[in-house]
Amino acid sequence: MSNPNWTEALRSSLSAAGVAVESDAAGDAISRWRVASEHWRMLAELALADSVRWSAGWAEQRAAGFVVHVLLEKHGVYLWAQTELGPAKPEVPSQAGVYPAANRSERHTQDMFGIQFVGHPDNRPWTRHKAWDKHQHPLRKDFPVEGRPETVTPPDMDYAFVKSHGAGTYEIPVGPVHAGIIEPGHFRFQAVGELILNLEERLGYVHKGIEKIAEGRDPPGLARLAGRVSGDTTVGHAWAACMAMERAAGVEIPPRAALIRGILAERERVANHLGDIGAICNDVAFTFAQIQFTRLREDWLRTQAAMFGHRLMMDCVVPGGVTSDLSAEQCQAMRVGIVKLRDELADLMTTLDLNSSLEDRLYTAGFLSEDIAAAYGTVGYVGRASGQDFDVRRDAAYPPYDAVGFKVVLENQGDIASRFWVRYKEIIASMKLIEQFIDRLAPGALVGEWQIPAAGSRGLGIVDGWRGEI
């Protein structure tokens, strides 16, 4: 499915427009370009014209100024582009007017580095919540890692939410503190009766500054930190971080370690989808199903605690490999657990599928069209429920996925029901993958020999977590 020719076609389009592109080898078939800042938006426009997806954006500070990066993807082929900015007044044309997916990333970079994105359609602060002065930028080198906290953080009272006007229009604030245990988030509804005119959210209240506290860490310490970006995706984030370090250092992980990483990642996917299916049922008052899926998830997590020493498998993925091995007896027990889960799911899903009250609440609700999903570069189960046929494991395959076959789950109705069924089908697919990985396990090392990367080395780690591309 991969076709690297799109990067050459994009280079030709830029050249025809008089834009020079410097390139060097990034390794692993990833192109890396340097583009002058004045052509940053043109790069996005020409990429969008060729249906290239905006994947990620970030920035860094160097001695000579700042560097803004963007990652673009098509057919599993990635382009890593960067542009350099001066230190005095760093600014660059915004790509958010071309790619909506760039919106919050650029706002985050604006808040953290003080880089201005000229022509941004919405340059309000995003991760700035009065915790620091407007002239302070936490990811700059001169900002202390512990920050400069005030005795009392001022209230964030002046965020410019979209306003509504007219007779019968109501504005309803919800949060940022909620009654449950979910992360803080402020939601502002504008409604007329039961008709919601607009919903705007403000997030980032518990931004942890991981980019800052990652600086200067050794590889094991960085892997541990990455595994704590999100507790429910500790395997996915740690794997992506380790892959980036391994590629920078030129380290190949042992085949057995790659297979065990695959088992860990697919078990993580199963656990989270089980919990989410139960939560969806609970949200529409189908408590029986929520109890059953919570029970199944708990059994799955207890098996992980017994086999890997941690319910969420934290710190199992390390630079160069893994810390946990699997005995023949554990592999057999895992197979038995898969058979049991498969049988229980078959019974439960039959019950759910015949529940017309549940269907009434899921079908057509929360609709996300294929066009909007594509415009925002939506990935993971949300994207795949809206017709976005992309999966890093297949389209930019990495060990052990490059040696096995599996079918990417795809739906196109774009509603909650579609996302519900994508979750279920991904559980089934993940269990098959785990079985394939167990079949391929052969004796061997768990950790490869580490080597210090050469100065200036860079690596890009991209894996498919249960939420999608990491």
Side-chain angles (χ1 to χ4, degrees), residues 277-314:
I277 290 174
I280 289 171
C281 293
N282 186 60
D283 282 345
V284 294
F286 192 16
T287 308
F288 165 78
Q290 192 266 339
I291 292 171
Q292 296 305 316
F293 279 96
T294 300
R295 173 181 61 83
L296 294 177
R297 179 177 182 271
E298 179 61 24
D299 287 345
W300 194 258
L301 295 180
R302 290 183 182 185
T303 297
Q304 291 171 182
M307 291 187 179
F308 304 110
H310 195 284
R311 288 164 59 85
L312 302 180
M313 304 171 294
M314 196 164 280

Side-chain angles (χ1 to χ4, degrees), residues 7 60 191 303 330 339 386 395 416 438 448 458:
T7 58
E60 60 178 311
T303 297
Q330 288 174 319
V339 171
S386 292
D395 300 326
I416 294 176
I438 291 174
R458 291 171 176 266

